[in-house]
Amino acid sequence: MRLSDPRLLAALPELGVKRLTGASIAERTSLGIGGATDILLIRRHASLPDLIALLDDGGIPHRLLGGGTNLLVQDGELPWALLHLAHSPQEVRFEGRVAHVDAAADLGRTVTYCAKHDLGGMEGLIGVPGSIGGALRMNAGAYGTQIGTWVREVEMYRAASGRIEILSGDAIRFEYRHTSFAPDDIMLAVELELPSIPYAEIVQGIRVCNEKRRASQPLNQKSAGCIFKNPPGASAGRMIDELGLKGFAVGDARVSDRHANFFINAGQARCSDMLALIAQVRERVRQAFGVELETEVILWTNA
Ligand code: EPU
């Protein structure tokens, strides 16, 4: 979608918003798939309510693009403008055991930065790609850690009120890869209250998680992490593997040889290839195990 609303375009400089025209989403997602659209780069959180009001008044559909690491986006010209939070110079600040982190900050870098301040508890999240905002929204988790455990409060744009609000951690439900945030709420910053642990001990924990991840996941290939959620008490990866589907492909969309719940873009995969692969694997699992797998990756597709 190319933005043309004169009222909106005229207001952007005043709101501190930069417009990236016809930006490629394939270049901004870890799967390397997705069409093009205008991106509005937000440099001042306080501008968001006015910006979104202008978009809504102009009838312009919009979505928030975070780190793009858990996302499958359709090809061609996209029917939404995308909002994206710019990085600020000091994304993590400390006050005792509390880390104030901007939503745009990289999750992995935040984990190491906290470690340098002798704050741990997030070691398991070290290799999870993506932003703090995305991790919050999905309640990212790995190796027994989930980010929701440490959330003291969240600053967010709340779609229901059209305002920036602060939510206490107790008021948010963090479940397995799911939270009580509304789909169009926008995370802006979080306060994480973390346990004090000596740096050397945290680093040891980080090493162990890194090794486990390297041994079992295809880290150097284009993917969005696990494609399906694990059904209660079972592993989607193990089921897909047991069906002999590692290496199974539709076009350049391929089930990883290393971890069967990672689907990789082995070259020039199109969104339709990835969707077809998802549908076929889901059907095979349904037939063999009677389990309907639910996608873990977020789909921005019209299928
Ligand atoms: N397994 C296989 N074959 C495979 C993959 C896994 O047999 O191809 C077996 C493993 O040997 C193991 C079991 O399945 O016995 C579970 O595998 P793993 O430890 O890799 O964990 P997972 O359940 O597949 C989950 C998360 C990952 C997270 C890891 C580590 C989901 C959907 N996946 O994977 O998260 O990194 O545990 O905690 O919850 C993600 O969210 O994108 C993601 C990758």
Side-chain angles (χ1 to χ4, degrees), residues 13 183 238:
R238 181 182 290 158

Side-chain angles (χ1 to χ4, degrees), residues 166-214:
I166 307 250
L167 230 68
S168 147
D170 306 337
I172 306 162
R173 272 201 328 278
F174 289 101
E175 293 160 2
Y176 168 63
R177 301 293 193 275
H178 180 77
T179 57
S180 52
F181 297 116
D184 40 4
D185 287 343
I186 297 177
M187 310 295 117
L188 296 176
V190 64
E191 281 189 4
L192 300 167
E193 188 165 5
L194 299 165
S196 288
I197 303 178
Y199 177 66
E201 212 174 293
I202 302 174
V203 167
Q204 185 50 30
I206 285 176
R207 261 196 211 117
V208 170
C209 292
N210 270 337
E211 270 160 34
K212 281 193 203 161
R213 196 177 286 279
R214 261 197 299 272

Side-chain angles (χ1 to χ4, degrees), residues 45-83:
H45 290 172
S47 299
L48 254 183
D50 287 345
L51 176 65
I52 292 179
L54 277 167
L55 289 163
D56 289 343
D57 287 351
I60 302 163
H62 52 87
R63 295 182 174 194
L64 189 280
L65 175 68
T69 55
N70 195 38
L71 193 60
L72 173 60
V73 183
Q74 67 191 47
D75 292 309
E77 188 67 29
L78 303 179
W80 328 278
L82 298 182
L83 312 183

Side-chain angles (χ1 to χ4, degrees), residues 10 15 46 50 55 58 104 109 112 221 283:
L15 293 170
D50 287 345
L55 289 163
R109 272 207 306 274
T112 32
Q221 284 171 303
E283 179 58 17

Side-chain angles (χ1 to χ4, degrees), residues 9-298:
L9 296 182
L12 295 182
E14 204 178 303
L15 293 170
V17 174
K18 186 175 174 197
R19 173 187 177 206
L20 310 174
T21 312
S24 157
I25 303 312
E27 288 171 13
R28 289 170 168 80
T29 53
S30 57
L31 263 174
I33 295 175
T37 188
D38 282 3
I39 294 182
L40 296 175
L41 190 63
I42 293 146
R43 292 180 285 202
R44 286 200 311 264
H45 290 172
S47 299
L48 254 183
D50 287 345
L51 176 65
I52 292 179
L54 277 167
L55 289 163
D56 289 343
D57 287 351
I60 302 163
H62 52 87
R63 295 182 174 194
L64 189 280
L65 175 68
T69 55
N70 195 38
L71 193 60
L72 173 60
V73 183
Q74 67 191 47
D75 292 309
E77 188 67 29
L78 303 179
W80 328 278
L82 298 182
L83 312 183
H84 185 69
L85 301 176
H87 289 278
S88 67
Q90 214 201 348
E91 293 183 321
V92 191
R93 299 169 301 281
F94 294 93
E95 227 180 295
R97 290 198 297 111
V98 175
H100 303 252
V101 193
D102 281 356
D106 178 77
L107 174 62
R109 272 207 306 274
T110 303
V111 174
T112 32
Y113 204 40
C114 290
K116 285 181 186 154
H117 285 75
D118 297 313
L119 294 174
M122 299 214 290
E123 294 83 337
L125 295 172
I126 187 67
V128 177
S131 66
I132 283 284
L136 275 177
R137 165 163 291 289
M138 289 297 291
N139 189 20
Y143 305 114
T145 307
Q146 52 173 28
I147 193 166
T149 308
W150 310 116
V151 172
R152 194 164 86 150
E153 62 178 44
V154 171
E155 184 189 350
M156 58 189 273
Y157 167 82
R158 196 158 194 178
S161 67
R163 287 159 49 164
I164 291 176
E165 295 183 12
I166 307 250
L167 230 68
S168 147
D170 306 337
I172 306 162
R173 272 201 328 278
F174 289 101
E175 293 160 2
Y176 168 63
R177 301 293 193 275
H178 180 77
T179 57
S180 52
F181 297 116
D184 40 4
D185 287 343
I186 297 177
M187 310 295 117
L188 296 176
V190 64
E191 281 189 4
L192 300 167
E193 188 165 5
L194 299 165
S196 288
I197 303 178
Y199 177 66
E201 212 174 293
I202 302 174
V203 167
Q204 185 50 30
I206 285 176
R207 261 196 211 117
V208 170
C209 292
N210 270 337
E211 270 160 34
K212 281 193 203 161
R213 196 177 286 279
R214 261 197 299 272
S216 64
Q217 300 183 359
L219 302 185
N220 52 359
Q221 284 171 303
K222 288 183 186 169
S223 85
C226 285
I227 280 283
F228 296 111
K229 290 183 183 175
N230 282 337
S235 160
R238 181 182 290 158
M239 288 191 281
I240 300 167
D241 193 359
E242 280 176 12
L243 291 170
L245 291 174
K246 279 184 170 167
F248 178 59
V250 175
D252 276 343
R254 183 183 303 269
V255 178
S256 160
D257 290 323
R258 183 166 278 236
H259 193 300
N261 198 14
F262 279 63
F263 291 10
I264 58 173
N265 174 2
Q268 303 294 322
R270 300 191 54 79
C271 180
S272 53
D273 299 328
M274 199 51 83
L275 286 174
L277 186 64
I278 291 170
Q280 290 183 35
V281 170
R282 180 188 266 141
E283 179 58 17
R284 293 283 300 273
V285 168
R286 195 182 61 75
Q287 282 173 7
F289 299 97
V291 171
E292 189 72 30
L293 290 177
E294 192 189 325
T295 46
E296 196 264 349
V297 66
I298 307 291

